[in-house]
Amino acid sequence: MAGWIKIQDLNAPELDVYARLSEVQLLRYREPEPGLFIAESAKVIGRALDAGYEPVSLLVETRHIEGDAREIIARCGDIPIYTAEYETLKCLTGFPLTRGILCAMRRRRLPDAGDICAGARRIAVLEKAMNPTNLGAIFRAAAALQIDGVLLTPGSTNPLYRRASRVSMGTVFQIPWTFFNEDREPWPGAGMDMLKSLGFQTAAMALRDDSVSVEDPMLKKAEKLAIILGTEGEGLEPETIAACDHIVRIPMREEVDSLNVAAAAAVAFWELGKPDGTPKIV
């Protein structure tokens, strides 16, 4: 049976993971083993459980025990469940809980970048994707629009950070992803070389005079394509663009100079994820 614990002391050390540890501290919580992350909302927690992630404890608003959190509680087995009213939990965490439930979960070791590419037709590469809201939205689009995996360069936000996973609606647990290894696959050099050695053509999303339209038939004919997106504002590094096979733009009205990176990713994934130019809806 689950262990119900009514929160009496907001400073209790067992609540540190929810109240006083940063995302980076959680990431390093069990070094050298993979650390912890916090999943927020029943949908996100449910998708993490579906993917095999192990729950450590739950933090639940009292009124959701027999509501939105009920199924999650039943799935989590014999772990501590800390509970309190809304205002107490808001005071503890510093933010309003989405549908009243958080779950501390164990991370897993990340796969190699080559493993993510194995058998993939379309992958996304995110260079220094630092905004967790944009990152979560990109993952949601990738999962929906025929992208088989996501690779992140060092400097990117971790997809399991609470806000990123929540904005993704838990799709960070449904699509394979990993980081390039800084030692073995420094980006763009060895990382780009690895993609090309595996048969991927590389497409840099950039607003350049020498770019081709995302609708260009040659892109859709590519057997394997890596769609590379840069950070908000600055875009891709010049050396990344120079190393790519194609430079790609999304045609827009003249009075609009750019799209938010998450919106641009969704457009590119939709257009370039179509097999042989034909939409694949399942």
Side-chain angles (χ1 to χ4, degrees):
M1 294 292 292
W4 294 93
I5 303 170
K6 182 74 172 179
I7 295 174
Q8 304 291 340
D9 179 8
L10 296 184
N11 294 313
E14 59 268 25
L15 299 176
D16 285 351
V17 294
Y18 297 107
R20 286 170 287 278
L21 297 184
S22 68
E23 299 274 22
V24 172
Q25 288 172 316
L26 288 169
L27 180 64
R28 298 172 177 169
Y29 189 79
R30 300 168 62 232
E31 285 185 334
E33 296 298 314
L36 303 178
F37 67 94
I38 303 297
E40 180 181 7
S41 85
K43 180 178 287 293
V44 173
I45 297 167
R47 286 180 168 169
L49 293 171
D50 291 343
Y53 284 87
E54 179 187 351
V56 174
S57 65
L58 287 164
L59 185 70
V60 184
E61 184 184 343
T62 303
R63 68 187 180 95
H64 287 296
I65 291 173
E66 293 299 327
D68 290 346
R70 184 175 183 178
E71 183 179 345
I72 294 299
I73 292 168
R75 294 182 62 185
C76 283
D78 187 17
I79 63 172
I81 302 174
Y82 304 102
T83 181
E85 300 299 328
Y86 173 83
E87 288 301 329
T88 299
L89 295 186
K90 184 178 178 181
C91 181
L92 174 72
T93 63
F95 59 87
L97 273 65
T98 301
R99 298 196 177 275
I101 180 170
L102 297 176
C103 185
M105 310 189 86
R106 297 189 190 278
R107 288 178 175 268
R108 300 195 299 226
R109 294 195 182 278
L110 292 176
D112 291 334
D115 295 336
I116 299 297
C117 295
R121 176 180 169 272
R122 294 290 186 267
I123 62 169
V125 178
L126 308 183
E127 182 180 88
K128 297 180 182 177
M130 294 176 283
N131 185 300
T133 300
N134 284 334
L135 185 69
I138 291 171
F139 264 85
R140 191 173 181 184
L145 299 172
Q146 315 306 325
I147 301 301
D148 301 311
V150 178
L151 300 178
L152 301 104
T153 72
S156 295
T157 289
N158 194 290
L160 297 191
Y161 284 176
R162 180 185 61 84
R163 186 169 181 81
S165 64
R166 179 172 65 80
V167 172
S168 83
M169 296 297 289
T171 55
V172 294
F173 305 110
Q174 296 180 318
I175 185 168
W177 63 270
T178 197
F179 283 84
F180 283 103
N181 184 290
E182 282 189 276
D183 296 324
R184 296 194 308 268
E185 303 140 351
W187 183 261
M192 189 78 73
D193 291 343
M194 182 208 70
L195 293 175
K196 294 183 179 182
S197 72
L198 294 173
F200 283 89
Q201 295 185 46
T202 51
M205 300 299 299
L207 295 170
R208 291 259 300 253
D209 292 338
D210 55 348
S211 60
V212 299
S213 171
V214 72
E215 300 170 307
D216 194 304
M218 71 172 176
L219 297 171
K220 299 176 186 180
K221 291 178 181 177
E223 182 178 350
K224 295 182 178 181
L225 188 66
I227 304 164
I228 304 176
L229 298 122
T231 189
E232 191 71 69
E234 297 179 1
L236 292 170
E237 296 289 345
E239 56 267 35
T240 300
I241 297 174
C244 284
D245 298 309
H246 311 285
I247 305 172
V248 182
R249 70 180 184 279
I250 297 170
M252 290 177 283
R253 289 180 174 177
E254 291 183 3
E255 61 269 24
V256 179
D257 61 359
S258 66
L259 290 173
N260 169 277
V261 67
V267 173
F269 296 164
W270 164 250
E271 192 63 43
L272 299 176
K274 302 173 186 178
D276 300 322
T278 303
K280 179 183 177 184
I281 305 296
V282 293

